[in-house]
Each structure stands twice: as structure tokens, then as C-alpha cells.
Amino acid sequence: MAGDRTRRAAPATLAAPGAPGALDRPPPADLALIALAVTAVSTSAPLIRYAVAPTMALAMWRNMLAAAVVLPVTGVLRRAELRALSGREWRLCLVSGVVLALHFATWIPSLRYTSVASSVALVAVQPVWAALIARWRGDHVPRAGWIGIWLAVVGAAVLSGLDFDIGLRYLWGDLLALVGGVMAAVYVTLGAQVRQTVGTMTYTAICYSAAAVVLLTVCLVGRQPISGYDAGTWWAIIGLTVGAQLLGHSVFSRVLKTTSPTVVSTSILFEIVGAAVLAGLFFDEWPAAAAIPAAALIGAGVVIVVRAGSPRPEVAGVPVSE
């Protein structure tokens, strides 16, 4: 983080100088951190399904509690960095928080209308959107990268059970999940830009706070109860905060400094495997018999995407401060 405090904001362009390219190969340490983050976010969908509370309230609380943890520490340890933030850096952090809120506001309600596997599968289509955003920004996405992305997406679709024709209720849930995937791709793309000049702790403190304010406003306007839950629901909220938010989203934000949004988004497809297994254990909502080959497709796709890029010369062999 210390190194981040001395760097100034990049010009207002589509991509920040020094940011990883569309498929730059991540450092080995980032791969380990991505595995940790994917494991953490895999608990999200089952915990949301278990909790007896409005979906927007769940999204608000996980961001509010995460901000309550990160903000005081940031205020003490990163006060100088907070004061040195440029207007552009503040805008990127705040907009990223709003987009994160929109991601939650669409994906989390989808879990009430469609299956956990389908919801996670559709929201995990975000690597396609991330790659398209990268192309729009002018980054080159190798053909092997596209093959890997689509291979992983096909695996996610197979694992979901392809239940898109069950009824209008499921169709609405699938649509919400798809929009949630688009918002997730925008969120990681913005995160990759801001992380070139802003430390993880500072970025997540501002981002989670902005998301919490937006979601709290939605809850109040929609008259959704934000308290009075049973003990099991509060434990689920704590689990969402510690696992999916702090160990999941925060770790993804950490690696976005040196790993491209497309690679991170593709790796998140492994979430569907963990979420589907947990949904089967707790809700008897098991994926189709094709789960094993589907998981193999996801794995193969992620490996192809990671290997499609070249190591970044500016970070190869150089440790990252945070």
C-alpha cells in the first residue's frame, strides 16, 4: 500500500497507464488469492437462500458491516492516502460502489425467482462482458482467450441445468441474474482502473460505503425491514460479510492491480461449482448429472484464459505491496 500512496492518478482515459491488459497472465501469488476469493464467494448464494430477510436488506447489511470494519482501519492507517486522493479517484471509487450496489440489487433478488445454480451461472457470464468492455477500450483479446471464455461459459450453462423454460417467474430471475453479471463486469473493470493508484483498503472502504448508502436508500424507499430478523438470519449476514464480502470481494479488489478484469471474471466461474454443491447439501437442489464434465469445462476454460496471455513485464518477479 505504501507504494500506492506516492502514485498520482492517471489521465481520464479509458484505461489507466500500467493497468493489466485484457489477458495479461497473473502473477502466481494472484492465482492463490483468486482461489481463496472464489471459495469465499461460493458461500454467498446458499447463505442468501438460507436467510429470512429481504434481499435488498441482505445486500445492504453485507456492505454496511464490511464498511464498518474497513473504514475505521482506513481512517487510522491510510489517512494520508485518503487526503491525497484526486477528484478522479474519488469519482471512480464512488461510481464503482454504485455499480456494485446495482449488481447486488439485480443478482440477489434473482435467487428468489430462479434456482441457485442458474442464478450463479448467469451472473458468472460476466467474463464475456468483461472481455467485450476490454475490446471496447482498445485492448486485444487473443483468440485463445475467447475460446477459453466461451468454453467456461458453456460449462456454466450445462451446470445450471438450462432451466430457462420453466416459467415466467424463472425467466424473470434469469434476466435479473444476467443484468447482475453485466454490472459485475463493469465493477471489476472500474476496480482495475482505480487500483492502479489507490490501495485496496482505501478503495474498498469508499466503495462499500457508497454501495451501502445506495442500498439503504433502496430499502427505506421500498419500506423493506432492515431489522427484527431471527438469530439464524443474522448469522447468515455475518457469514456473508466475513466470507463473500471481506474474503471474497476485497481479495478480488486486491488482485485487480496486477490481474486483468477478464481473467478475474473468468476465474469467478468456479463459484458456480462451490455454490451448486452447497445448495445441494443444504437445500437438496443438486445440479444435473452433467455437473462433473461441466465443471471440467469451466476448469479447462479458465486454464486456457490464464495461459492465453503473457506475463506483464512491469510486474514479473516484483512483489506487490498489497
Side-chain angles (χ1 to χ4, degrees), residues 225-273:
I226 59 175
S227 62
Y229 312 138
D230 59 57
T233 295
W234 283 116
W235 279 113
I237 291 172
I238 292 173
L240 284 168
T241 303
V242 175
Q245 201 71 20
L246 294 175
L247 293 178
H249 281 268
S250 296
V251 174
F252 282 132
S253 296
R254 157 64 178 79
V255 302
L256 280 171
K257 180 168 184 175
T258 46
T259 297
S260 78
T262 305
V263 172
V264 170
S265 296
T266 307
S267 301
I268 292 175
L269 282 171
F270 274 122
E271 175 188 353
I272 182 179
V273 180

mmCIF file of all heavy atoms in Angstrom, residues 225-273:
data_model
loop_
_atom_site.group_PDB
_atom_site.id
_atom_site.type_symbol
_atom_site.label_atom_id
_atom_site.label_comp_id
_atom_site.label_asym_id
_atom_site.label_seq_id
_atom_site.Cartn_x
_atom_site.Cartn_y
_atom_site.Cartn_z
ATOM 1 N N PRO A 225 -38.007 -4.067 5.702
ATOM 2 C CA PRO A 225 -37.486 -4.115 7.072
ATOM 3 C C PRO A 225 -35.989 -4.423 7.086
ATOM 4 O O PRO A 225 -35.540 -5.345 6.412
ATOM 5 C CB PRO A 225 -38.296 -5.227 7.733
ATOM 6 C CG PRO A 225 -38.781 -6.082 6.601
ATOM 7 C CD PRO A 225 -38.987 -5.138 5.450
ATOM 8 N N ILE A 226 -35.250 -3.648 7.860
ATOM 9 C CA ILE A 226 -33.799 -3.859 7.937
ATOM 10 C C ILE A 226 -33.384 -4.358 9.318
ATOM 11 O O ILE A 226 -32.189 -4.394 9.638
ATOM 12 C CB ILE A 226 -33.038 -2.567 7.587
ATOM 13 C CG1 ILE A 226 -33.417 -1.435 8.545
ATOM 14 C CG2 ILE A 226 -33.303 -2.163 6.141
ATOM 15 C CD1 ILE A 226 -32.610 -0.163 8.334
ATOM 16 N N SER A 227 -34.343 -4.758 10.126
ATOM 17 C CA SER A 227 -34.043 -5.301 11.451
ATOM 18 C C SER A 227 -35.161 -6.239 11.872
ATOM 19 O O SER A 227 -36.122 -6.453 11.127
ATOM 20 C CB SER A 227 -33.881 -4.166 12.475
ATOM 21 O OG SER A 227 -35.086 -3.425 12.592
ATOM 22 N N GLY A 228 -34.989 -6.820 13.078
ATOM 23 C CA GLY A 228 -36.015 -7.729 13.582
ATOM 24 C C GLY A 228 -35.908 -9.142 13.050
ATOM 25 O O GLY A 228 -36.877 -9.902 13.103
ATOM 26 N N TYR A 229 -34.737 -9.532 12.552
ATOM 27 C CA TYR A 229 -34.561 -10.868 11.995
ATOM 28 C C TYR A 229 -34.272 -11.879 13.105
ATOM 29 O O TYR A 229 -33.877 -11.517 14.220
ATOM 30 C CB TYR A 229 -33.407 -10.883 10.983
ATOM 31 C CG TYR A 229 -33.448 -9.774 9.970
ATOM 32 C CD1 TYR A 229 -32.285 -9.090 9.610
ATOM 33 C CD2 TYR A 229 -34.642 -9.398 9.364
ATOM 34 C CE1 TYR A 229 -32.303 -8.078 8.672
ATOM 35 C CE2 TYR A 229 -34.671 -8.381 8.424
ATOM 36 C CZ TYR A 229 -33.503 -7.717 8.086
ATOM 37 O OH TYR A 229 -33.531 -6.704 7.162
ATOM 38 N N ASP A 230 -34.428 -13.148 12.762
ATOM 39 C CA ASP A 230 -34.083 -14.192 13.719
ATOM 40 C C ASP A 230 -32.571 -14.377 13.789
ATOM 41 O O ASP A 230 -31.818 -13.859 12.950
ATOM 42 C CB ASP A 230 -34.767 -15.512 13.356
ATOM 43 C CG ASP A 230 -34.398 -16.010 11.967
ATOM 44 O OD1 ASP A 230 -33.190 -16.196 11.699
ATOM 45 O OD2 ASP A 230 -35.317 -16.223 11.140
ATOM 46 N N ALA A 231 -32.123 -15.111 14.791
ATOM 47 C CA ALA A 231 -30.679 -15.287 15.012
ATOM 48 C C ALA A 231 -30.004 -15.945 13.816
ATOM 49 O O ALA A 231 -28.878 -15.577 13.443
ATOM 50 C CB ALA A 231 -30.447 -16.111 16.276
ATOM 51 N N GLY A 232 -30.672 -16.925 13.209
ATOM 52 C CA GLY A 232 -30.082 -17.613 12.061
ATOM 53 C C GLY A 232 -29.799 -16.669 10.908
ATOM 54 O O GLY A 232 -28.761 -16.771 10.233
ATOM 55 N N THR A 233 -30.718 -15.719 10.670
ATOM 56 C CA THR A 233 -30.528 -14.751 9.592
ATOM 57 C C THR A 233 -29.360 -13.820 9.887
ATOM 58 O O THR A 233 -28.550 -13.505 9.002
ATOM 59 C CB THR A 233 -31.811 -13.926 9.377
ATOM 60 O OG1 THR A 233 -32.858 -14.803 8.920
ATOM 61 C CG2 THR A 233 -31.604 -12.835 8.342
ATOM 62 N N TRP A 234 -29.235 -13.379 11.149
ATOM 63 C CA TRP A 234 -28.107 -12.505 11.500
ATOM 64 C C TRP A 234 -26.778 -13.234 11.337
ATOM 65 O O TRP A 234 -25.791 -12.645 10.889
ATOM 66 C CB TRP A 234 -28.255 -11.981 12.927
ATOM 67 C CG TRP A 234 -29.256 -10.868 13.045
ATOM 68 C CD1 TRP A 234 -30.434 -10.879 13.739
ATOM 69 C CD2 TRP A 234 -29.162 -9.567 12.449
ATOM 70 N NE1 TRP A 234 -31.080 -9.676 13.610
ATOM 71 C CE2 TRP A 234 -30.329 -8.851 12.821
ATOM 72 C CE3 TRP A 234 -28.219 -8.943 11.630
ATOM 73 C CZ2 TRP A 234 -30.562 -7.547 12.406
ATOM 74 C CZ3 TRP A 234 -28.455 -7.634 11.214
ATOM 75 C CH2 TRP A 234 -29.609 -6.951 11.601
ATOM 76 N N TRP A 235 -26.749 -14.518 11.684
ATOM 77 C CA TRP A 235 -25.523 -15.291 11.484
ATOM 78 C C TRP A 235 -25.218 -15.424 9.987
ATOM 79 O O TRP A 235 -24.049 -15.403 9.579
ATOM 80 C CB TRP A 235 -25.622 -16.658 12.137
ATOM 81 C CG TRP A 235 -25.363 -16.644 13.604
ATOM 82 C CD1 TRP A 235 -26.238 -16.906 14.617
ATOM 83 C CD2 TRP A 235 -24.111 -16.337 14.239
ATOM 84 N NE1 TRP A 235 -25.638 -16.776 15.835
ATOM 85 C CE2 TRP A 235 -24.323 -16.427 15.644
ATOM 86 C CE3 TRP A 235 -22.852 -15.991 13.774
ATOM 87 C CZ2 TRP A 235 -23.311 -16.185 16.559
ATOM 88 C CZ3 TRP A 235 -21.834 -15.747 14.687
ATOM 89 C CH2 TRP A 235 -22.062 -15.851 16.065
ATOM 90 N N ALA A 236 -26.261 -15.572 9.168
ATOM 91 C CA ALA A 236 -26.051 -15.635 7.721
ATOM 92 C C ALA A 236 -25.486 -14.317 7.204
ATOM 93 O O ALA A 236 -24.602 -14.297 6.336
ATOM 94 C CB ALA A 236 -27.364 -15.957 7.009
ATOM 95 N N ILE A 237 -25.993 -13.195 7.731
ATOM 96 C CA ILE A 237 -25.488 -11.883 7.324
ATOM 97 C C ILE A 237 -24.019 -11.729 7.718
ATOM 98 O O ILE A 237 -23.196 -11.213 6.942
ATOM 99 C CB ILE A 237 -26.343 -10.765 7.949
ATOM 100 C CG1 ILE A 237 -27.741 -10.759 7.317
ATOM 101 C CG2 ILE A 237 -25.679 -9.401 7.772
ATOM 102 C CD1 ILE A 237 -28.731 -9.828 7.990
ATOM 103 N N ILE A 238 -23.682 -12.180 8.919
ATOM 104 C CA ILE A 238 -22.285 -12.131 9.350
ATOM 105 C C ILE A 238 -21.414 -13.001 8.445
ATOM 106 O O ILE A 238 -20.309 -12.619 8.052
ATOM 107 C CB ILE A 238 -22.160 -12.577 10.818
ATOM 108 C CG1 ILE A 238 -22.827 -11.540 11.735
ATOM 109 C CG2 ILE A 238 -20.694 -12.765 11.215
ATOM 110 C CD1 ILE A 238 -22.907 -11.965 13.181
ATOM 111 N N GLY A 239 -21.932 -14.181 8.094
ATOM 112 C CA GLY A 239 -21.209 -15.062 7.187
ATOM 113 C C GLY A 239 -20.989 -14.419 5.831
ATOM 114 O O GLY A 239 -19.903 -14.529 5.238
ATOM 115 N N LEU A 240 -22.019 -13.730 5.306
ATOM 116 C CA LEU A 240 -21.886 -13.027 4.030
ATOM 117 C C LEU A 240 -20.829 -11.926 4.110
ATOM 118 O O LEU A 240 -20.045 -11.733 3.175
ATOM 119 C CB LEU A 240 -23.235 -12.403 3.636
ATOM 120 C CG LEU A 240 -24.307 -13.348 3.089
ATOM 121 C CD1 LEU A 240 -25.654 -12.642 3.038
ATOM 122 C CD2 LEU A 240 -23.924 -13.847 1.709
ATOM 123 N N THR A 241 -20.812 -11.228 5.232
ATOM 124 C CA THR A 241 -19.873 -10.119 5.393
ATOM 125 C C THR A 241 -18.431 -10.618 5.460
ATOM 126 O O THR A 241 -17.548 -10.131 4.747
ATOM 127 C CB THR A 241 -20.209 -9.310 6.653
ATOM 128 O OG1 THR A 241 -21.563 -8.841 6.579
ATOM 129 C CG2 THR A 241 -19.269 -8.132 6.798
ATOM 130 N N VAL A 242 -18.201 -11.603 6.324
ATOM 131 C CA VAL A 242 -16.837 -12.101 6.521
ATOM 132 C C VAL A 242 -16.354 -12.875 5.302
ATOM 133 O O VAL A 242 -15.221 -12.694 4.841
ATOM 134 C CB VAL A 242 -16.756 -12.985 7.780
ATOM 135 C CG1 VAL A 242 -15.370 -13.606 7.920
ATOM 136 C CG2 VAL A 242 -17.102 -12.163 9.022
ATOM 137 N N GLY A 243 -17.222 -13.743 4.782
ATOM 138 C CA GLY A 243 -16.812 -14.597 3.673
ATOM 139 C C GLY A 243 -16.857 -13.902 2.327
ATOM 140 O O GLY A 243 -15.829 -13.483 1.780
ATOM 141 N N ALA A 244 -18.064 -13.760 1.783
ATOM 142 C CA ALA A 244 -18.212 -13.253 0.419
ATOM 143 C C ALA A 244 -17.702 -11.824 0.258
ATOM 144 O O ALA A 244 -17.117 -11.478 -0.778
ATOM 145 C CB ALA A 244 -19.678 -13.329 -0.005
ATOM 146 N N GLN A 245 -17.903 -10.974 1.284
ATOM 147 C CA GLN A 245 -17.535 -9.573 1.121
ATOM 148 C C GLN A 245 -16.054 -9.316 1.425
ATOM 149 O O GLN A 245 -15.311 -8.816 0.580
ATOM 150 C CB GLN A 245 -18.411 -8.700 2.031
ATOM 151 C CG GLN A 245 -18.480 -7.249 1.595
ATOM 152 C CD GLN A 245 -19.292 -7.048 0.330
ATOM 153 O OE1 GLN A 245 -20.109 -7.883 -0.040
ATOM 154 N NE2 GLN A 245 -19.054 -5.938 -0.349
ATOM 155 N N LEU A 246 -15.617 -9.640 2.655
ATOM 156 C CA LEU A 246 -14.254 -9.304 3.056
ATOM 157 C C LEU A 246 -13.210 -10.255 2.467
ATOM 158 O O LEU A 246 -12.142 -9.818 2.027
ATOM 159 C CB LEU A 246 -14.157 -9.281 4.581
ATOM 160 C CG LEU A 246 -14.973 -8.181 5.266
ATOM 161 C CD1 LEU A 246 -14.903 -8.317 6.783
ATOM 162 C CD2 LEU A 246 -14.489 -6.797 4.838
ATOM 163 N N LEU A 247 -13.507 -11.555 2.475
ATOM 164 C CA LEU A 247 -12.554 -12.521 1.917
ATOM 165 C C LEU A 247 -12.771 -12.751 0.423
ATOM 166 O O LEU A 247 -11.906 -13.305 -0.251
ATOM 167 C CB LEU A 247 -12.649 -13.859 2.661
ATOM 168 C CG LEU A 247 -12.184 -13.842 4.117
ATOM 169 C CD1 LEU A 247 -12.377 -15.216 4.748
ATOM 170 C CD2 LEU A 247 -10.720 -13.424 4.214
ATOM 171 N N GLY A 248 -13.924 -12.336 -0.080
ATOM 172 C CA GLY A 248 -14.230 -12.515 -1.497
ATOM 173 C C GLY A 248 -13.963 -11.255 -2.303
ATOM 174 O O GLY A 248 -12.956 -11.124 -2.979
ATOM 175 N N HIS A 249 -14.882 -10.290 -2.201
ATOM 176 C CA HIS A 249 -14.765 -9.064 -2.992
ATOM 177 C C HIS A 249 -13.484 -8.297 -2.693
ATOM 178 O O HIS A 249 -12.849 -7.753 -3.603
ATOM 179 C CB HIS A 249 -15.986 -8.172 -2.740
ATOM 180 C CG HIS A 249 -17.202 -8.603 -3.496
ATOM 181 N ND1 HIS A 249 -17.523 -8.107 -4.740
ATOM 182 C CD2 HIS A 249 -18.172 -9.493 -3.193
ATOM 183 C CE1 HIS A 249 -18.633 -8.674 -5.173
ATOM 184 N NE2 HIS A 249 -19.051 -9.518 -4.255
ATOM 185 N N SER A 250 -13.106 -8.226 -1.421
ATOM 186 C CA SER A 250 -11.906 -7.461 -1.078
ATOM 187 C C SER A 250 -10.652 -8.093 -1.669
ATOM 188 O O SER A 250 -9.739 -7.387 -2.136
ATOM 189 C CB SER A 250 -11.768 -7.348 0.443
ATOM 190 O OG SER A 250 -12.850 -6.617 0.990
ATOM 191 N N VAL A 251 -10.578 -9.408 -1.662
ATOM 192 C CA VAL A 251 -9.410 -10.080 -2.229
ATOM 193 C C VAL A 251 -9.396 -9.925 -3.750
ATOM 194 O O VAL A 251 -8.337 -9.736 -4.357
ATOM 195 C CB VAL A 251 -9.378 -11.565 -1.814
ATOM 196 C CG1 VAL A 251 -8.244 -12.305 -2.521
ATOM 197 C CG2 VAL A 251 -9.205 -11.687 -0.302
ATOM 198 N N PHE A 252 -10.562 -9.984 -4.378
ATOM 199 C CA PHE A 252 -10.614 -9.718 -5.816
ATOM 200 C C PHE A 252 -10.109 -8.305 -6.115
ATOM 201 O O PHE A 252 -9.385 -8.080 -7.102
ATOM 202 C CB PHE A 252 -12.037 -9.873 -6.348
ATOM 203 C CG PHE A 252 -12.469 -11.292 -6.548
ATOM 204 C CD1 PHE A 252 -13.695 -11.741 -6.072
ATOM 205 C CD2 PHE A 252 -11.661 -12.198 -7.213
ATOM 206 C CE1 PHE A 252 -14.091 -13.051 -6.248
ATOM 207 C CE2 PHE A 252 -12.054 -13.521 -7.402
ATOM 208 C CZ PHE A 252 -13.277 -13.947 -6.913
ATOM 209 N N SER A 253 -10.494 -7.342 -5.274
ATOM 210 C CA SER A 253 -10.012 -5.975 -5.461
ATOM 211 C C SER A 253 -8.497 -5.915 -5.317
ATOM 212 O O SER A 253 -7.822 -5.147 -6.012
ATOM 213 C CB SER A 253 -10.677 -5.034 -4.443
ATOM 214 O OG SER A 253 -12.071 -4.954 -4.657
ATOM 215 N N ARG A 254 -7.974 -6.696 -4.416
ATOM 216 C CA ARG A 254 -6.522 -6.744 -4.218
ATOM 217 C C ARG A 254 -5.799 -7.185 -5.491
ATOM 218 O O ARG A 254 -4.809 -6.590 -5.912
ATOM 219 C CB ARG A 254 -6.206 -7.675 -3.047
ATOM 220 C CG ARG A 254 -4.818 -8.284 -3.017
ATOM 221 C CD ARG A 254 -3.706 -7.258 -2.861
ATOM 222 N NE ARG A 254 -2.411 -7.907 -2.786
ATOM 223 C CZ ARG A 254 -1.729 -8.380 -3.826
ATOM 224 N NH1 ARG A 254 -2.237 -8.289 -5.040
ATOM 225 N NH2 ARG A 254 -0.548 -8.945 -3.654
ATOM 226 N N VAL A 255 -6.292 -8.250 -6.145
ATOM 227 C CA VAL A 255 -5.577 -8.782 -7.304
ATOM 228 C C VAL A 255 -5.828 -7.978 -8.573
ATOM 229 O O VAL A 255 -5.082 -8.114 -9.549
ATOM 230 C CB VAL A 255 -5.942 -10.271 -7.559
ATOM 231 C CG1 VAL A 255 -5.621 -11.113 -6.352
ATOM 232 C CG2 VAL A 255 -7.406 -10.420 -7.950
ATOM 233 N N LEU A 256 -6.849 -7.111 -8.574
ATOM 234 C CA LEU A 256 -7.145 -6.346 -9.781
ATOM 235 C C LEU A 256 -6.048 -5.350 -10.135
ATOM 236 O O LEU A 256 -6.032 -4.814 -11.243
ATOM 237 C CB LEU A 256 -8.479 -5.600 -9.632
ATOM 238 C CG LEU A 256 -9.729 -6.447 -9.876
ATOM 239 C CD1 LEU A 256 -10.976 -5.674 -9.487
ATOM 240 C CD2 LEU A 256 -9.805 -6.901 -11.330
ATOM 241 N N LYS A 257 -5.118 -5.106 -9.224
ATOM 242 C CA LYS A 257 -3.999 -4.227 -9.559
ATOM 243 C C LYS A 257 -3.065 -4.889 -10.562
ATOM 244 O O LYS A 257 -2.460 -4.218 -11.397
ATOM 245 C CB LYS A 257 -3.220 -3.847 -8.301
ATOM 246 C CG LYS A 257 -2.045 -2.920 -8.592
ATOM 247 C CD LYS A 257 -1.457 -2.326 -7.343
ATOM 248 C CE LYS A 257 -0.356 -1.345 -7.710
ATOM 249 N NZ LYS A 257 0.181 -0.631 -6.538
ATOM 250 N N THR A 258 -2.938 -6.213 -10.498
ATOM 251 C CA THR A 258 -1.973 -6.921 -11.340
ATOM 252 C C THR A 258 -2.600 -8.013 -12.199
ATOM 253 O O THR A 258 -1.906 -8.679 -12.956
ATOM 254 C CB THR A 258 -0.872 -7.557 -10.458
ATOM 255 O OG1 THR A 258 -1.487 -8.226 -9.347
ATOM 256 C CG2 THR A 258 0.069 -6.490 -9.926
ATOM 257 N N THR A 259 -3.895 -8.211 -12.081
ATOM 258 C CA THR A 259 -4.594 -9.215 -12.883
ATOM 259 C C THR A 259 -5.775 -8.556 -13.584
ATOM 260 O O THR A 259 -6.519 -7.796 -12.967
ATOM 261 C CB THR A 259 -5.089 -10.376 -12.005
ATOM 262 O OG1 THR A 259 -3.964 -11.037 -11.414
ATOM 263 C CG2 THR A 259 -5.866 -11.396 -12.831
ATOM 264 N N SER A 260 -5.969 -8.857 -14.858
ATOM 265 C CA SER A 260 -6.992 -8.174 -15.648
ATOM 266 C C SER A 260 -8.396 -8.555 -15.212
ATOM 267 O O SER A 260 -8.632 -9.656 -14.704
ATOM 268 C CB SER A 260 -6.819 -8.507 -17.135
ATOM 269 O OG SER A 260 -7.338 -9.786 -17.419
ATOM 270 N N PRO A 261 -9.387 -7.660 -15.404
ATOM 271 C CA PRO A 261 -10.780 -7.964 -15.078
ATOM 272 C C PRO A 261 -11.300 -9.200 -15.809
ATOM 273 O O PRO A 261 -12.115 -9.946 -15.269
ATOM 274 C CB PRO A 261 -11.525 -6.702 -15.519
ATOM 275 C CG PRO A 261 -10.502 -5.627 -15.496
ATOM 276 C CD PRO A 261 -9.211 -6.282 -15.884
ATOM 277 N N THR A 262 -10.835 -9.419 -17.044
ATOM 278 C CA THR A 262 -11.308 -10.579 -17.803
ATOM 279 C C THR A 262 -10.858 -11.880 -17.151
ATOM 280 O O THR A 262 -11.634 -12.832 -17.024
ATOM 281 C CB THR A 262 -10.792 -10.518 -19.254
ATOM 282 O OG1 THR A 262 -11.177 -9.273 -19.840
ATOM 283 C CG2 THR A 262 -11.372 -11.656 -20.079
ATOM 284 N N VAL A 263 -9.601 -11.939 -16.721
ATOM 285 C CA VAL A 263 -9.098 -13.142 -16.063
ATOM 286 C C VAL A 263 -9.808 -13.351 -14.724
ATOM 287 O O VAL A 263 -10.227 -14.462 -14.394
ATOM 288 C CB VAL A 263 -7.570 -13.050 -15.854
ATOM 289 C CG1 VAL A 263 -7.075 -14.215 -14.999
ATOM 290 C CG2 VAL A 263 -6.852 -13.047 -17.201
ATOM 291 N N VAL A 264 -9.974 -12.280 -13.954
ATOM 292 C CA VAL A 264 -10.680 -12.387 -12.668
ATOM 293 C C VAL A 264 -12.114 -12.847 -12.887
ATOM 294 O O VAL A 264 -12.613 -13.745 -12.200
ATOM 295 C CB VAL A 264 -10.653 -11.038 -11.925
ATOM 296 C CG1 VAL A 264 -11.579 -11.075 -10.707
ATOM 297 C CG2 VAL A 264 -9.240 -10.692 -11.486
ATOM 298 N N SER A 265 -12.788 -12.247 -13.861
ATOM 299 C CA SER A 265 -14.184 -12.607 -14.133
ATOM 300 C C SER A 265 -14.315 -14.060 -14.559
ATOM 301 O O SER A 265 -15.267 -14.749 -14.161
ATOM 302 C CB SER A 265 -14.764 -11.690 -15.215
ATOM 303 O OG SER A 265 -14.807 -10.357 -14.777
ATOM 304 N N THR A 266 -13.392 -14.529 -15.388
ATOM 305 C CA THR A 266 -13.448 -15.927 -15.819
ATOM 306 C C THR A 266 -13.196 -16.868 -14.654
ATOM 307 O O THR A 266 -13.866 -17.894 -14.513
ATOM 308 C CB THR A 266 -12.417 -16.181 -16.935
ATOM 309 O OG1 THR A 266 -12.601 -15.226 -17.992
ATOM 310 C CG2 THR A 266 -12.565 -17.582 -17.508
ATOM 311 N N SER A 267 -12.270 -16.523 -13.792
ATOM 312 C CA SER A 267 -11.974 -17.362 -12.633
ATOM 313 C C SER A 267 -13.169 -17.482 -11.704
ATOM 314 O O SER A 267 -13.379 -18.516 -11.059
ATOM 315 C CB SER A 267 -10.781 -16.785 -11.857
ATOM 316 O OG SER A 267 -9.637 -16.708 -12.681
ATOM 317 N N ILE A 268 -13.989 -16.428 -11.638
ATOM 318 C CA ILE A 268 -15.160 -16.441 -10.759
ATOM 319 C C ILE A 268 -16.154 -17.518 -11.170
ATOM 320 O O ILE A 268 -17.005 -17.926 -10.377
ATOM 321 C CB ILE A 268 -15.810 -15.040 -10.732
ATOM 322 C CG1 ILE A 268 -14.873 -14.046 -10.038
ATOM 323 C CG2 ILE A 268 -17.142 -15.048 -10.001
ATOM 324 C CD1 ILE A 268 -15.363 -12.607 -10.068
ATOM 325 N N LEU A 269 -16.049 -18.008 -12.407
ATOM 326 C CA LEU A 269 -16.955 -19.078 -12.838
ATOM 327 C C LEU A 269 -16.835 -20.312 -11.946
ATOM 328 O O LEU A 269 -17.768 -21.107 -11.859
ATOM 329 C CB LEU A 269 -16.669 -19.456 -14.295
ATOM 330 C CG LEU A 269 -17.225 -18.491 -15.351
ATOM 331 C CD1 LEU A 269 -16.682 -18.850 -16.717
ATOM 332 C CD2 LEU A 269 -18.740 -18.519 -15.355
ATOM 333 N N PHE A 270 -15.694 -20.490 -11.280
ATOM 334 C CA PHE A 270 -15.564 -21.609 -10.355
ATOM 335 C C PHE A 270 -16.548 -21.480 -9.193
ATOM 336 O O PHE A 270 -16.834 -22.455 -8.498
ATOM 337 C CB PHE A 270 -14.137 -21.686 -9.803
ATOM 338 C CG PHE A 270 -13.192 -22.459 -10.680
ATOM 339 C CD1 PHE A 270 -12.041 -21.871 -11.175
ATOM 340 C CD2 PHE A 270 -13.458 -23.777 -11.009
ATOM 341 C CE1 PHE A 270 -11.162 -22.578 -11.975
ATOM 342 C CE2 PHE A 270 -12.595 -24.497 -11.818
ATOM 343 C CZ PHE A 270 -11.439 -23.902 -12.300
ATOM 344 N N GLU A 271 -17.075 -20.264 -8.976
ATOM 345 C CA GLU A 271 -18.050 -20.062 -7.901
ATOM 346 C C GLU A 271 -19.278 -20.948 -8.090
ATOM 347 O O GLU A 271 -19.862 -21.437 -7.117
ATOM 348 C CB GLU A 271 -18.483 -18.594 -7.855
ATOM 349 C CG GLU A 271 -19.584 -18.308 -6.838
ATOM 350 C CD GLU A 271 -20.133 -16.897 -6.951
ATOM 351 O OE1 GLU A 271 -19.572 -16.085 -7.723
ATOM 352 O OE2 GLU A 271 -21.127 -16.603 -6.268
ATOM 353 N N ILE A 272 -19.660 -21.143 -9.343
ATOM 354 C CA ILE A 272 -20.865 -21.927 -9.598
ATOM 355 C C ILE A 272 -20.729 -23.351 -9.083
ATOM 356 O O ILE A 272 -21.684 -23.950 -8.598
ATOM 357 C CB ILE A 272 -21.201 -21.935 -11.110
ATOM 358 C CG1 ILE A 272 -22.491 -22.711 -11.357
ATOM 359 C CG2 ILE A 272 -20.091 -22.531 -11.920
ATOM 360 C CD1 ILE A 272 -22.877 -22.726 -12.815
ATOM 361 N N VAL A 273 -19.523 -23.902 -9.151
ATOM 362 C CA VAL A 273 -19.304 -25.271 -8.671
ATOM 363 C C VAL A 273 -19.500 -25.338 -7.164
ATOM 364 O O VAL A 273 -20.265 -26.166 -6.645
ATOM 365 C CB VAL A 273 -17.902 -25.767 -9.058
ATOM 366 C CG1 VAL A 273 -17.688 -27.187 -8.545
ATOM 367 C CG2 VAL A 273 -17.706 -25.707 -10.565
#
